[in-house]
Amino acid sequence: MRSIGRGLAALTLVVVAVLAGPAASAGAGQQVGQRGWTGTWATAPSEHFEVSGMSEVTVRMPVRTSVGGSSVRIRLTNAYATDPVTIGHATVGLRDGGSAVARPYDLRFGGKREVTVPAGGEAVSDPLRLSVPALADLVVSLHLPGEVTHITDHWWAQQTVYWTDYGAGDHAADTAGDAFTWTTTSWPFLSGVDVTAPKTGSVVALGDSITDGSFSTPDTNQRWPDLLSARLNACRPGAGVLNAGITSNRITAGTATNPSALDRLERDVLSQPGARTLILFEGINDLGGASAEQIIAGMTEIADRAHQRGMRVVAATITPYKDFTWGGWSEETEARRQQVNAFVRDSGGVFDDYADFDKAVRDPADPRRLGAAYDSGDHLHPNDAGMKAFADSIDLAALGLSRGCS
């Protein structure tokens, strides 16, 4: 949500897959054959911008795993670009602090080190035999050898991402991080990391900036899906938790690079490897420009489509935002929020269950406001304590992913 002013409305593939190559065998760092996959980390592409003079650079991206597994692969996206992008060398390994990697392992694409991702396309690496722990910092490094003119990325990642200077060349296999001299806070080109994790699945959190983690403490993985992941992975077996939040996202309307929840449902939720449960936490950005009936209709369609794919659906109530710093709240939007929340709490079977995020963080003295203990300061986005309150309010058994959860 870059802005909820002006009525909460404006905060803001053709898929060409390079499939896994033939089977190989055994030890750590070796390519392995195609098997069942579960997403351990994901993000939704949400931005596209032009760059000038960028070539021979390497970008290093830390990501937080949810479930662990015995093999790994990455997914790359060039969804919104008008030109192809070439990856000259890609590696993955466990983080060793900052931009350092304990041991980077080479990735291949169709057996080759280099892959060109077409404009609007996607690439998936070959499987790599590598033990990936749950709740660990994994680092994906990409060397971009040619001229880069457009970058598709996920904006405002709440995570420091490391870059080399232009012209610095291939540093994807570096263990030290000395070559990475400047930083951003967005994930370019990377859309997912999958692992082989038998007898498990994943939950996908579909949401807006609150799910995306905006205003949580950067570089600490305090987004509510991260905290939910910690709870789920204390159970056996563990489960993947994938964050499909996009800042300023809405259910009922969208833009070219920030499509509505309805329009991006297939890409960001239904097609995720191992996805078994959807947590739907959207609607706050719709309140100023759509009726409660329209929001409810959109939620119902999302649930119906997920159910058709065999997924469970848990909806979350919309949280309070009276006195939001950039405006947009009114008695009318509050009435819509209450109407939508009443539906979420008693959907008549539209949802399999619900999580009462509203109750978890509202001010008892004025339920239209975010409680002070959970407020990041803008009266809409929760702080770390608010993120934890969300994660703690979810009934793990309702997710249908792990046994022995409480």
Side-chain angles (χ1 to χ4, degrees):
M1 286 168 212
R2 292 180 183 171
S3 167
I4 295 194
R6 301 182 181 88
L8 282 173
L11 248 186
T12 316
L13 298 156
V14 175
V15 173
V16 180
V18 181
L19 297 177
S25 54
Q30 290 188 305
Q31 305 297 316
V32 297
Q34 184 84 338
R35 299 166 59 184
W37 294 97
T38 295
T40 189
W41 177 89
T43 194
S46 64
E47 186 179 58
H48 160 247
F49 59 93
E50 296 183 7
V51 292
S52 177
M54 177 182 281
S55 66
E56 286 295 340
V57 297
T58 305
V59 58
R60 180 159 279 183
M61 294 171 278
V63 300
R64 185 71 168 177
T65 66
S66 50
V67 69
S70 58
S71 300
V72 65
R73 71 180 185 185
I74 67 169
R75 288 177 282 128
L76 303 174
T77 180
N78 201 23
Y80 300 125
T82 56
D83 293 327
V85 63
T86 296
I87 310 300
H89 185 197
T91 64
V92 63
L94 292 174
R95 193 178 191 181
D96 194 26
S99 55
V101 180
R103 182 179 176 185
Y105 292 93
D106 288 346
L107 292 166
R108 295 288 189 269
F109 298 82
K112 299 178 181 179
R113 177 161 153 159
E114 182 175 291
V115 64
T116 296
V117 190
E122 180 179 82
V124 183
S125 76
D126 299 344
L128 176 73
R129 176 77 71 187
L130 182 66
S131 179
V132 176
L135 309 179
D137 289 335
L138 200 66
V139 177
V140 175
S141 301
L142 304 176
H143 169 228
L144 308 169
E147 182 180 4
V148 180
T149 59
H150 300 81
I151 291 178
T152 293
D153 74 355
H154 179 89
W155 181 74
W156 209 1
Q158 298 300 97
Q159 175 66 58
T160 299
V161 170
Y162 304 91
W163 293 79
T164 66
D165 287 336
Y166 292 9
D170 182 6
H171 290 274
D174 289 8
T175 54
D178 297 347
F180 297 87
T181 55
W182 59 284
T183 63
T184 59
T185 55
S186 62
W187 286 301
F189 303 116
L190 184 66
S191 61
V193 179
D194 308 326
V195 296
T196 52
K199 298 181 181 179
T200 190
S202 61
V203 54
V204 186
L206 181 63
D208 49 42
S209 61
I210 300 176
T211 295
D212 206 11
S214 300
F215 293 89
S216 63
T217 303
D219 295 320
T220 62
N221 302 301
Q222 294 296 304
R223 312 166 193 87
W224 71 260
D226 296 317
L227 301 173
L228 174 62
S229 174
R231 290 187 65 206
L232 273 172
N233 282 284
C235 308
R236 292 292 180 270
V241 179
L242 309 180
N243 191 328
I246 296 180
T247 291
S248 77
N249 200 235
R250 289 175 284 174
I251 294 172
T252 59
T255 67
T257 60
N258 192 343
S260 72
L262 286 162
D263 288 340
R264 68 189 183 94
L265 183 67
E266 177 67 35
R267 182 194 73 181
D268 293 341
V269 178
L270 303 182
S271 66
Q272 291 290 347
R276 289 171 50 187
T277 303
L278 164 64
I279 299 179
L280 174 61
F281 178 36
E282 289 244 27
I284 198 167
N285 287 318
D286 297 84
L287 292 173
S291 67
E293 290 79 10
Q294 288 171 320
I295 298 169
I296 290 169
M299 287 180 156
T300 301
E301 181 180 339
I302 288 170
D304 288 346
R305 288 169 59 188
H307 282 146
Q308 288 169 15
R309 300 288 277 270
M311 295 182 68
R312 291 180 61 80
V313 181
V314 175
T317 50
I318 301 174
T319 49
Y321 65 97
K322 186 181 180 184
D323 300 326
F324 175 52
T325 301
W326 291 285
W329 184 91
S330 68
E331 294 291 351
E332 182 180 4
T333 61
E334 178 64 21
R336 291 173 187 167
R337 186 178 76 90
Q338 295 295 344
Q339 186 176 342
V340 173
N341 283 352
F343 167 73
V344 169
R345 293 181 179 113
D346 186 11
S347 68
V350 171
F351 307 120
D352 298 287
D353 212 322
Y354 74 94
D356 207 337
F357 284 7
D358 170 37
K359 183 179 179 180
V361 298
R362 67 193 181 198
D363 183 349
D366 185 351
R368 300 170 299 176
R369 289 188 172 92
L370 192 62
Y374 306 121
D375 193 344
S376 68
D378 72 354
H379 312 306
L380 182 145
H381 294 94
N383 57 17
D384 293 354
M387 294 290 179
K388 185 176 187 301
F390 290 157
D392 289 347
S393 72
I394 296 169
D395 179 1
L396 299 187
L399 300 179
L401 289 166
S402 295
R403 298 176 181 175
C405 291
S406 58

